[in-house]
Amino acid sequence: MLPTFLPLSADQLKWFVEHAGLIVAAPFLAGFLIIMGLRASKTLSMVASVGAVLYGLFHSVAIFQALVTKSYPEPFFQQNIDWFVSDAFTLSVGVLVDNLAALMLIVVTGISLLVQIYTHGYMREDPGYSRFYAYLSLFTGSMLGLVVSTNLFQMYGFWELVGVCSYFLIGFWWYKESAAKACMKAFVVNRIGDFGFLIGILVFFLATKDFWQGQTLLGFVGPGEANLAGVIHRAAEAHALTTESLFVISCLILMGPMAKSAQFPLHVWLPDAMEGPTPISALIHAATMVAAGVYLVARAYPIWLTPDGQMGAALHVVAIVGAITAFMAATIAMSQYDIKRVLAWSTCSQLGYMFVGLGCGAFTGGIFHLFNHAFFKAMLFLCSGAVIHGLHGEQDIRKMGGLSKSMPITHFCFLIGCLAISGFPIFSGFFSKDEIIGAAMHTHPVIGWLMMATAGMTAFYMFRLYFMTFSGGYRGDAHPHESPASMTWPLLVLSVPSMLSGYLGFNLANLQAAFGGASAEHGLPNHFAAFVFGPFGPHFEGCNLPLMATSVCVAAVGIFLAFAMYQTKTIHINKSFAESREGFAHLLYNFSFNKWYMDNLYFGLVDRVFLPLFRGVWTRVDQVVVDGIVHGTGLVTMSVGEVLKYLQTGRGQYYALVIFAAVAGIAWLAYMMPPR
Amino acid sequence: MSHEPQHLLTVLFLVPLIGTLAIACLPETAARKLAIAFSSVMCGLSVWLLSQFNLETAAEFQFVEKMPWFTQPFPVQYFVGVDGMSLSLVVLTAFITLMSTLASTSIGDNRPRLYYSMLMLLIFSVQGVFLSLDLLQFFVLYEMELVPMYFLIAIWGGPRRSRAALKFLIYTFFGGILMLAGLVYMYTQMGVGAGGMGTFDMTELARLPQLLPKDVQIIACLGFFLAFIIKLPSFPVHTWLPDAHVEAPTPISMLLAGLLLKMGSYGLVRICLGFFPYFFIDYGPIVMALGAFNIVWAAMACLVQQDMKRIIALSSVSHMGFVLLGVASLSSAALNGAIFQMISHGVISALLFFLVGTVYERTHTRQLGEIGGGLAKQMPTLFYFWMLGTMANLGLPGLSGFVAEAAVFYGSFTSPMAQSATAGSFVQGWIIVAGLGVILTAGYMLWLLKRLFYGEELAKWKGHLSDATMTEKVVAYSLCTSILALGIYPLMLSKYSAPLADKMAKEAKGHMTIGAVPAANKIARQ
């Protein structure tokens, strides 16, 4: 059994579960108070914001403990209030706590707490210090609200709220033109996803509206069969929903997660979102908000299954989208020079892994990767923030180097993060990534091998980043220094789960058994999979030794190549690529460096096609045709030109006369019409 | 239930009229104070009305007062009363009136007495429209609004004011004629059809015209419908709105968008849907398509404007499209959403026009190119209000616009119209098109915000701008608070209109399933 964290009785734990709404309310309250007045004092703003999320973490741990120790005997707790009522249907909002939500609550509050402490150091001299805390609080509240959403409608609401907080935070330094563009891009791209999400919900709602039978509309869970899967099943039995229509619905809804979790082709906003201050890149654009898409797919998993609960075409789409994203982002990350953008592309790529995990049926694996990734990626971002802070705003890794001497703690943590994300054995990323690759190999071998190759690229670009930043000699002209304690402590705290969280989902006995020749199909239970599992129930896999060995080798090759190219500089392939001016290498390099030309394509479409089209159509129709017709013909005519003249000559009565004559005429006509 | 206060509605009805006369008679210097006093009284009275309103019978008219005047050759009477929907609009009227009176500082010494008395006269007619239960009285008040509005634009407006005012006048008057034609046609048809049945009593009319033959209903409704979509406004008769808004002074724009457009939407629900449900049963899909088209068309037009006030004006067209979509879908949820949208848009558009005014007063230009961005530097507080206004307008959850849009989307997509065998996919297709508005609205609102506030400040603004004044803060805070409150807990408003929406949708559905006019034969001539 897992250890108990808090000395609380079963009744107290139950109370915490039943009042989970407080976790959401606290940051909102803090944000509201800061906006309404506390912002006058920096300290008070910080205390309110940190206090709220600290409380949230405590409460979340209590809930976690209640669920783990079964002090709360039910599998979930749900409470709804009516939000919009009509004869036709009632939309509700509420609080849902189950294992999945409890896990996410801890991730969100934990990382938010550390980021907020870090912020105190990072933003100390910024004039917008209090405003930043207000936004952070509002974001945390929205994200927690998303996590505890009971139904799709509510989730859509909080989904947009986290999006808008992200908009505010990306555009936090509003005077920067690049930030202004980036925040707008982020919001609009997310809205494109939300459009699909909305239409998907509507189509789903139309198909299933007669089958909710009094339970929460569009709700995720319910007692017995009264849950999402049950409703889909009943609707399918009544022929209101077919496999095909459910597939269409799932693809539409998937647009939401694709935008929010930066999946191809809606990923373009995430790298630009790095214009925001680094703490929010860590919190929003690495650990929490971008994982919301993964969370939604996991939460509403039955929508992506076939109506009778089997894996079907919709999950393949999820897996394919994830695979394309993971591969694309990794190829792009290899040529970027901005420390934060490399991390952003790696986030994109890792989110792709999570999609592949969910899409290949590795429900637990996907969530496990989300869990591990949240910690090590938040830490990596915070490290990059410490580097930028220490170099007075420098973000270009060509002007870094040798920082391991001046920034030892940051260096240590960054190395841990790189090892974790590269899938180096014993670090957290290794376990979850292997689980995903294993599942992918099983269902779609092509995707499996693609993911394996991507893992190698990941190791390469992460260590390229590491070597260029921390080893060798310093190439810039600032005076690097280590960050204050409020920034280094969160890093050190995060390094612990980055090293160890992998063991939650891994049972060492399985390894032993594998050496003894046991099959990889079934293994002994591990803590993580026993706590978080999909609709098929807990599933424990054993160790697949050949796969494990391959992935270790691939990661090692990636790290070695980075070492040889950027540390010892004995291999010069990188140079020959970057400096080639023609031929295939040049093409490949530019394709990667220019981010597959996706931005050029989109901006080209908007600037060259849509806006001119709108302008042309609008001018022709509204100004020429509509105004023209109304002005040019008919009754009104007499007026605009002529009447203006009359009015100006003081003969307004003519105008009145015309109108009244017309009225009288129409009235007479109406009277004369043959009644029936 | 407590005893209904006597004559409360009559007092409320008369307050703005008394205000008009009082302001006109007293000295110029007192005009602004008097106007604020009278609008505060209206607010107080409407809150009292709200507290005395019996929620259990929200679908029925309450506080009814009736005073017949003469009956020959046609009945003329004074008749007022409120149900859930008109009550919400009456409260909105009082609130927006107070806000725009407060926001009228820019009028200054430019004939304040005339201005405020015109404003009060305008409010008298707008509020009268919402209170009226007699169709003739409704029509007279509906038309009367033209006169003060014309002068308010033509005297205190921008450089091209006379043309804009005239355009407004012509469009609206044209609508008036159509409505009059519909009204007379309906009256004569009823009078001839069944001797002595002709009436202008709207409580009776909610029942009687449904007994008329189907095509008569449709012709009569068409007159009203055209009149109301001119006011709403809807494509293709919307082009008066941007011109009128651009030229009108800030507080008048607030009233125009916040209240006057609501007369159109109110009429759509009360008269078109209430009297002639057949019109929507037959032409509902087309009206829904029109609504969806408005949403997208106006949003698209917003993306290519350079004038910030024109953007907000066109966005009104886009948002009123939700009313058309909701009303025509005959779903109780969507109808309730449409009513919610009236109130929500009333507050949001008032806020946005007010905010446009604050920027215009400081920069003296509405052209985004000339403003050039970076205003956040010297106007941080206004920037926050702008952010909230922007987010409310693009339908952010937690703010009132989202409630209405969500209700209309969810309601209309599951409405009888969207499920009908003949037009179902047509309707669904148009709702999906309307969904595109979600993207376009975000696009133009955020782009507007970016071009105003983000980026580097132009050199010419350095030291020449100032942040919000106390009055501006009061107005903006009040409007923002209501937007937030309605968005977080929409039931506090929707519970007033829900019974009515449920009732109307149920009746309409009843007609739909029966498929024929039940008593048509009784009333039809021989």
Side-chain angles (χ1 to χ4, degrees):
Chain A
M1 204 68 241
L2 282 168
T4 49
F5 307 98
L6 302 168
L8 294 169
S9 72
D11 281 344
Q12 285 166 325
L13 288 174
K14 198 160 176 254
W15 184 91
F16 278 108
V17 173
E18 284 167 1
H19 293 79
L22 293 176
I23 305 180
V24 183
F28 272 121
L29 183 69
F32 184 72
L33 286 178
I34 296 172
I35 292 171
M36 291 317 289
L38 293 186
R39 66 196 150 106
S41 152
K42 281 188 169 191
T43 322
L44 277 181
S45 306
M46 192 267 284
V47 168
S49 185
V50 173
V53 73
L54 186 64
Y55 167 76
L57 179 61
F58 163 73
H59 197 139
S60 306
V61 171
I63 289 176
F64 180 71
Q65 185 177 338
L67 291 175
V68 167
T69 59
K70 303 275 179 211
S71 304
Y72 189 79
E74 311 293 327
F76 64 89
F77 164 79
Q78 180 166 224
Q79 194 176 33
N80 282 292
I81 56 164
D82 292 348
W83 192 77
F84 188 88
V85 181
S86 75
D87 257 4
F89 54 81
T90 297
L91 298 172
S92 28
V93 294
V95 174
L96 163 69
V97 178
D98 64 355
N99 292 0
L100 184 59
L103 181 85
M104 283 298 283
L105 284 178
I106 292 193
V107 173
V108 174
T109 49
I111 292 181
S112 182
L113 175 67
L114 293 171
V115 166
Q116 295 202 13
I117 294 170
Y118 179 92
T119 295
H120 173 64
Y122 193 81
M123 300 293 283
R124 195 176 348 202
E125 274 137 40
D126 196 284
Y129 179 92
S130 302
R131 184 163 59 102
F132 195 74
Y133 270 111
Y135 290 159
L136 275 180
S137 278
L138 292 180
F139 169 76
T140 309
S142 311
M143 186 66 209
L144 292 167
L146 190 151
V147 168
V148 300
S149 289
T150 58
N151 59 66
L152 277 170
F153 166 74
Q154 183 188 359
M155 193 171 251
Y156 180 85
F158 282 104
W159 188 267
E160 294 248 298
L161 282 180
V162 289
V164 80
C165 292
S166 149
Y167 166 83
F168 287 147
L169 285 161
I170 297 169
F172 185 77
W173 289 318
W174 47 263
Y175 42 83
K176 278 166 64 181
E177 183 67 24
S178 52
K181 279 194 181 132
C183 65
M184 196 180 140
K185 185 174 172 186
F187 199 96
V188 173
V189 172
N190 270 294
R191 268 282 164 115
I192 294 174
D194 291 353
F195 162 73
F197 191 7
L198 174 69
I199 302 297
I201 296 178
L202 290 181
V203 179
F204 182 62
F205 180 36
L206 178 63
T208 59
K209 72 185 167 54
D210 300 328
F211 303 96
W212 293 94
Q213 294 167 352
Q215 68 167 117
T216 320
L217 200 66
L218 301 171
F220 297 121
V221 302
E225 283 295 295
N227 53 21
L228 200 54
V231 168
I232 291 175
H233 189 63
R234 282 198 295 277
E237 275 185 345
H239 302 291
L241 196 66
T242 61
T243 311
E244 290 75 33
S245 63
L246 189 62
F247 175 70
V248 172
I249 290 166
S250 65
C251 288
L252 282 169
I253 295 184
L254 187 66
M255 279 177 76
M258 276 161 68
K260 193 76 50 192
S261 295
Q263 298 295 295
F264 178 85
L266 295 177
H267 63 278
V268 288
W269 65 273
L270 184 63
D272 287 10
M274 298 301 127
E275 292 296 335
T278 309
I280 64 120
S281 307
L283 176 64
I284 300 185
H285 304 122
T288 55
M289 186 188 84
V290 290
V294 181
Y295 182 71
L296 171 66
V297 176
R299 194 31 110 196
Y301 209 55
I303 292 180
W304 277 270
L305 300 172
T306 56
D308 49 356
Q310 300 304 310
M311 285 176 64
L315 278 183
H316 294 208
V317 173
V318 175
I320 291 167
V321 166
I324 294 175
T325 313
F327 178 73
M328 172 206 67
T331 58
I332 295 173
M334 290 196 292
S335 66
Q336 303 300 315
Y337 286 116
D338 182 315
I339 184 170
K340 281 178 74 182
R341 295 208 179 207
V342 175
L343 289 176
W345 285 110
S346 91
T347 306
C348 210
S349 175
Q350 298 302 309
L351 290 165
Y353 271 100
M354 296 171 209
F355 269 66
V356 170
L358 292 176
C360 293
F363 183 94
T364 308
I367 299 298
F368 189 35
H369 198 53
L370 188 166
F371 178 75
N372 292 335
H373 176 260
F375 293 110
F376 64 67
K377 187 50 73 61
M379 182 178 72
L380 283 168
F381 263 111
L382 293 183
C383 286
S384 77
V387 169
I388 295 166
H389 188 76
L391 298 179
H392 308 286
E394 184 56 69
Q395 299 198 9
D396 191 330
I397 50 175
R398 284 168 296 192
K399 293 180 183 160
M400 295 179 185
L403 298 183
S404 54
K405 287 170 225 81
S406 45
M407 308 174 86
I409 301 175
T410 310
H411 166 239
F412 167 75
C413 292
F414 199 88
L415 181 59
I416 302 276
C418 284
L419 289 169
I421 195 175
S422 305
F424 197 78
I426 78 164
F427 290 92
S428 66
F430 172 71
F431 300 101
S432 44
K433 198 179 272 187
D434 255 21
E435 217 173 314
I436 291 171
I437 294 177
M441 289 286 185
H442 192 67
T443 42
H444 308 279
V446 178
I447 292 182
W449 284 108
L450 194 66
M451 290 299 96
M452 187 66 94
T454 306
M457 294 198 281
T458 309
F460 171 75
Y461 69 71
M462 283 313 293
F463 275 89
R464 166 182 176 263
L465 186 64
Y466 167 78
F467 288 125
M468 283 187 78
T469 309
F470 289 101
S471 66
Y474 182 58
R475 298 181 291 273
D477 39 18
H479 301 284
H481 58 82
E482 185 60 283
S483 322
S486 62
M487 287 169 69
T488 49
W489 275 104
L491 292 179
L492 289 169
V493 173
L494 279 170
S495 71
V496 176
S498 303
M499 285 186 275
L500 301 176
S501 67
Y503 293 100
L504 287 176
F506 187 73
N507 192 334
L508 283 173
N510 273 334
L511 196 62
Q512 233 165 5
F515 278 117
S519 111
E521 286 292 308
H522 295 285
L524 296 163
N526 63 62
H527 297 309
F528 196 91
F531 188 67
V532 178
F533 45 83
F536 304 117
H539 173 70
F540 308 110
E541 283 185 8
C543 278
N544 188 339
L545 282 180
L547 186 74
M548 219 176 226
T550 319
S551 71
V552 170
C553 290
V554 168
V557 169
I559 295 173
F560 171 74
L561 282 176
F563 176 76
M565 288 184 199
Y566 297 98
Q567 171 70 7
T568 62
K569 300 196 169 52
T570 40
I571 301 179
H572 301 291
I573 307 174
N574 57 328
K575 279 222 172 75
S576 66
F577 262 93
E579 286 163 11
S580 62
R581 286 288 165 268
E582 56 200 2
F584 194 55
H586 175 67
L587 208 68
L588 273 186
Y589 181 78
N590 272 349
F591 198 57
S592 158
F593 188 73
N594 292 312
K595 303 167 275 186
W596 288 31
Y597 296 101
M598 298 289 287
D599 271 342
N600 308 47
L601 176 69
Y602 290 160
F603 279 115
L605 275 179
V606 171
D607 290 339
R608 302 259 171 82
V609 180
F610 287 125
L611 287 180
L613 184 78
F614 289 175
R615 193 170 290 120
V617 172
W618 179 76
T619 328
R620 282 192 186 87
V621 176
D622 249 28
Q623 291 196 320
V624 180
V625 180
V626 173
D627 262 9
I629 288 174
V630 177
H631 286 176
T633 57
L635 246 185
V636 181
T637 333
M638 296 185 234
S639 337
V640 176
E642 293 296 308
V643 171
L644 194 61
K645 198 169 74 193
Y646 286 133
L647 278 181
Q648 280 165 352
T649 52
R651 287 154 72 188
Q653 61 267 39
Y654 278 114
Y655 169 55
L657 202 66
V658 168
I659 298 280
F660 279 110
V663 172
I666 289 176
W668 182 71
L669 267 178
Y671 190 75
M672 291 305 286
M673 260 191 192
R676 14 203 310 155
Chain B
M1 184 209 148
S2 67
H3 182 65
E4 276 188 11
Q6 295 290 310
H7 305 307
L8 183 52
L9 279 193
T10 304
V11 174
L12 189 58
F13 181 74
L14 290 177
V15 166
L17 189 63
I18 299 168
T20 310
L21 299 173
I23 292 169
C25 296
L26 289 166
E28 294 269 6
T29 45
R32 181 173 160 80
K33 289 192 187 93
L34 274 173
I36 294 175
F38 274 104
S39 19
S40 308
V41 169
M42 276 175 68
C43 277
L45 285 175
S46 57
V47 169
W48 190 24
L49 188 68
L50 196 67
S51 66
Q52 297 294 319
F53 188 79
N54 182 4
L55 209 51
E56 277 160 27
T57 53
E60 311 295 326
F61 289 104
Q62 302 181 22
F63 306 98
V64 174
E65 281 178 64
K66 195 178 199 169
M67 211 191 303
W69 191 13
F70 55 83
T71 51
Q72 288 302 325
F74 49 83
V76 174
Q77 58 181 355
Y78 165 75
F79 189 11
V80 292
V82 286
D83 64 358
M85 175 172 65
S86 35
L87 178 74
S88 332
L89 285 163
V90 165
V91 175
L92 177 78
T93 307
F95 178 56
I96 300 295
T97 306
L98 181 61
M99 289 300 122
S100 65
T101 323
L102 284 175
S104 294
T105 45
S106 61
I107 299 306
D109 294 334
N110 186 5
R111 294 200 263 175
R113 196 163 60 176
L114 185 59
Y115 172 82
Y116 287 108
S117 62
M118 281 292 173
L119 195 146
M120 279 293 152
L121 188 62
L122 180 69
I123 297 310
F124 168 68
S125 78
V126 172
Q127 187 186 248
V129 164
F130 297 143
L131 291 177
S132 291
L133 286 186
D134 183 88
L135 196 57
L136 216 53
Q137 181 189 338
F138 175 94
F139 174 73
V140 170
L141 289 165
Y142 189 93
E143 290 302 300
M144 207 179 95
E145 150 270 333
L146 269 177
V147 181
M149 198 60 183
Y150 174 80
F151 286 112
L152 283 168
I153 297 177
I155 297 179
W156 289 274
R160 295 177 66 225
R161 55 182 179 259
S162 57
R163 189 178 170 77
L166 195 65
K167 203 169 170 185
F168 165 77
L169 192 71
I170 290 165
Y171 269 83
T172 321
F173 215 110
F174 187 59
I177 295 168
L178 288 168
M179 177 149 67
L180 186 61
L183 191 146
V184 172
Y185 179 68
M186 180 188 80
Y187 184 75
T188 50
Q189 287 292 323
M190 283 171 61
V192 175
M197 275 186 68
T199 175
F200 290 124
D201 183 331
M202 286 164 78
T203 52
E204 291 288 305
L205 284 172
R207 193 172 53 82
L208 289 177
Q210 299 179 8
L211 306 179
L212 286 170
K214 206 166 160 181
D215 39 357
V216 174
Q217 280 195 43
I218 287 169
I219 295 174
C221 185
L222 203 61
F224 286 102
F225 181 73
L226 290 175
F228 293 138
I229 67 166
I230 289 176
K231 189 62 114 193
L232 194 61
S234 157
F235 185 88
V237 281
H238 63 288
T239 52
W240 65 270
L241 183 86
D243 287 347
H245 267 307
V246 163
E247 298 305 324
T250 302
I252 301 309
S253 284
M254 289 167 72
L255 289 179
L256 183 58
L259 299 178
L260 264 70
L261 307 188
K262 306 303 166 295
M263 302 193 334
S265 52
Y266 174 76
L268 268 181
V269 178
R270 175 72 76 219
I271 293 176
C272 290
L273 183 60
F275 297 180
F276 314 103
Y278 265 105
F279 179 76
F280 289 101
I281 291 171
D282 275 12
Y283 296 101
I286 294 171
V287 177
M288 286 175 85
L290 182 66
F293 182 74
N294 271 327
I295 293 171
V296 175
W297 178 255
M300 219 177 79
C302 284
L303 272 171
V304 295
Q305 303 301 316
Q306 293 301 323
D307 181 321
M308 60 175 171
K309 208 166 180 186
R310 199 170 269 273
I311 294 180
I312 305 297
L314 281 165
S315 101
S316 286
V317 179
S318 176
H319 284 93
M320 294 314 276
F322 279 101
V323 174
L324 272 180
L325 189 61
V327 170
S329 71
L330 304 182
S331 140
S332 59
L335 182 56
N336 200 358
I339 298 172
F340 201 100
Q341 176 77 331
M342 296 182 202
I343 309 295
S344 153
H345 178 262
V347 183
I348 295 173
S349 61
L351 173 68
L352 285 170
F353 277 113
F354 172 71
L355 291 174
V356 164
T358 58
V359 172
Y360 179 71
E361 267 171 42
R362 286 162 176 78
T363 59
H364 303 288
T365 177
R366 288 184 310 260
Q367 299 301 317
L368 292 167
E370 290 174 30
I371 292 172
L375 296 185
K377 188 164 189 194
Q378 291 182 62
M379 302 158 65
T381 314
L382 283 171
F383 180 36
Y384 299 137
F385 289 132
W386 262 98
M387 275 184 177
L388 195 128
T390 302
M391 292 306 156
N393 208 30
L394 60 77
L396 187 78
L399 303 174
S400 62
F402 173 74
V403 185
E405 289 181 19
V408 170
F409 273 131
Y410 281 64
S412 59
F413 208 78
T414 52
S415 66
M417 287 292 166
Q419 292 179 79
S420 86
T422 47
S425 27
F426 173 79
V427 167
Q428 289 179 19
W430 274 107
I431 295 171
I432 292 174
V433 170
L436 285 172
V438 168
I439 306 171
L440 296 174
T441 313
Y444 72 77
M445 281 315 290
L446 295 182
W447 201 16
L448 172 66
L449 195 64
K450 174 180 173 287
R451 286 184 288 177
L452 283 176
F453 286 95
Y454 284 88
E456 281 292 340
E457 188 185 41
L458 291 190
K460 65 176 169 183
W461 302 132
K462 282 211 168 35
H464 291 296
L465 305 174
S466 55
D467 207 2
T469 63
M470 203 57 210
T471 319
E472 286 171 344
K473 276 187 196 165
V474 169
V475 174
Y477 265 120
S478 317
L479 291 166
C480 289
T481 312
S482 356
I483 292 172
L484 202 59
L486 288 179
I488 291 173
Y489 193 62
L491 268 187
M492 69 171 149
L493 172 65
S494 67
K495 69 183 176 190
Y496 286 96
S497 47
L500 182 74
D502 291 347
K503 189 177 119 190
M504 282 185 143
K506 205 167 155 193
E507 278 171 9
K509 258 177 239 169
H511 288 296
M512 212 168 171
T513 46
I514 294 163
V517 189
N521 300 332
K522 250 189 268 171
I523 197 170
R525 191 181 56 160
Q526 275 80 46

